[in-house]
Amino acid sequence: MSKDFFHCSHLLSNVSIDLKSFDSKFSVSQINESKISYELAKFQLQEGFDKQTIGYLSLLNQSLENIISQKYLFEQAQQNGLIISGMGGSILGLQAMLQFCQPDDPKHDAPRLVAIDTIDPQIINSAVCLIESKPAILNFISKSGDTLETLSAYLVLKEKYLARWEKESFKKNCCIITTTGSGYLYQEA
């Protein structure tokens, strides 16, 4: 067991909730349900720590090579723009960030970000325009690897990207996030 997992697991064992202060606000059955839910969640989290199956914790153990490649993608996205395609939870965070952070002034010198969660040709064309001017970073996210909208965007943008830029540039600037072993996008990754 790695030191990081042991440390997190140790912290978890010290977690407790004092439900006595809630007695006046909630019924006994509500408090008992909360205790059961809490204990179940605590057990599942502890099990994840023990089996080292909580994915984001593995970020602590990344190789230097992986960190450098992520730094490259970040720098390229700042210079040339970023196109992310996904559906639902794969894209909602980015869409919220775009609405909050993207400047209203198109002349503003900020990196261009395009979020695609549709097969709408106008939205996909905005991404095509971006990759025709600069070799933008492409990020396709699909848990199944077969989400229709994400696949449609992938196929169109890959074709346009390869028509404009070198194949090596596409390989270097394209990031696919999917479940291991499943779907078309997994095969492409």
Side-chain angles (χ1 to χ4, degrees):
M1 185 182 309
S2 77
K3 208 178 354 174
D4 296 319
F5 282 96
F6 176 76
H7 177 69
C8 293
S9 179
H10 177 69
L11 288 176
L12 185 65
S13 67
N14 294 328
V15 173
S16 65
I17 295 177
D18 179 16
L19 293 175
K20 291 176 187 171
S21 63
F22 295 109
D23 282 348
S24 62
K25 297 178 186 172
F26 300 100
S27 70
V28 172
S29 65
Q30 288 174 315
I31 291 172
N32 286 335
E33 280 181 37
S34 296
K35 286 179 182 178
I36 292 169
S37 296
Y38 166 74
E39 289 300 324
L40 178 62
K42 183 177 173 183
F43 172 78
Q44 290 172 335
L45 193 53
Q46 181 67 52
E47 186 177 49
F49 283 130
D50 292 344
K51 292 181 179 178
Q52 297 185 10
T53 57
I54 299 178
Y56 61 85
L57 291 177
S58 66
L59 293 174
L60 301 170
N61 302 321
Q62 287 187 75
S63 69
L64 182 58
E65 181 180 301
N66 192 14
I67 293 169
I68 290 170
S69 73
Q70 290 174 14
K71 182 176 185 262
Y72 165 81
L73 290 173
F74 179 76
E75 289 170 349
Q76 288 300 306
Q78 283 186 313
Q79 292 174 6
N80 300 333
L82 173 64
I83 300 166
I84 298 181
S85 177
M87 289 299 295
S90 298
I91 197 94
L92 285 174
L94 173 71
Q95 288 173 324
M97 185 185 74
L98 283 174
Q99 289 178 357
F100 183 74
C101 297
Q102 189 107 12
D104 293 330
D105 181 7
K107 295 176 186 169
H108 188 272
D109 195 25
R112 181 84 192 277
L113 301 170
V114 177
I116 303 172
D117 66 346
T118 180
I119 55 173
D120 181 343
Q122 286 184 316
I123 293 174
I124 293 176
N125 279 337
S126 69
V128 169
C129 290
L130 180 60
I131 62 174
E132 285 178 345
S133 62
K134 295 179 178 181
I137 297 298
L138 306 171
N139 187 358
F140 301 94
I141 307 167
S142 169
K143 182 176 182 181
S144 69
D146 287 325
T147 308
L148 173 65
E149 295 82 355
T150 307
L151 277 177
S152 298
Y154 173 78
L155 294 171
V156 169
L157 294 174
K158 179 181 178 183
E159 177 185 329
K160 299 295 184 181
Y161 202 101
L162 293 174
R164 176 71 173 97
W165 307 101
E166 297 174 13
K167 186 175 183 177
E168 285 306 309
S169 176
F170 178 77
K171 287 181 179 180
K172 205 172 180 182
N173 290 356
C174 182
C175 177
I176 296 173
I177 301 171
T178 188
T179 304
T180 304
S182 68
Y184 182 83
L185 286 176
Y186 176 78
Q187 302 304 321
E188 288 286 294

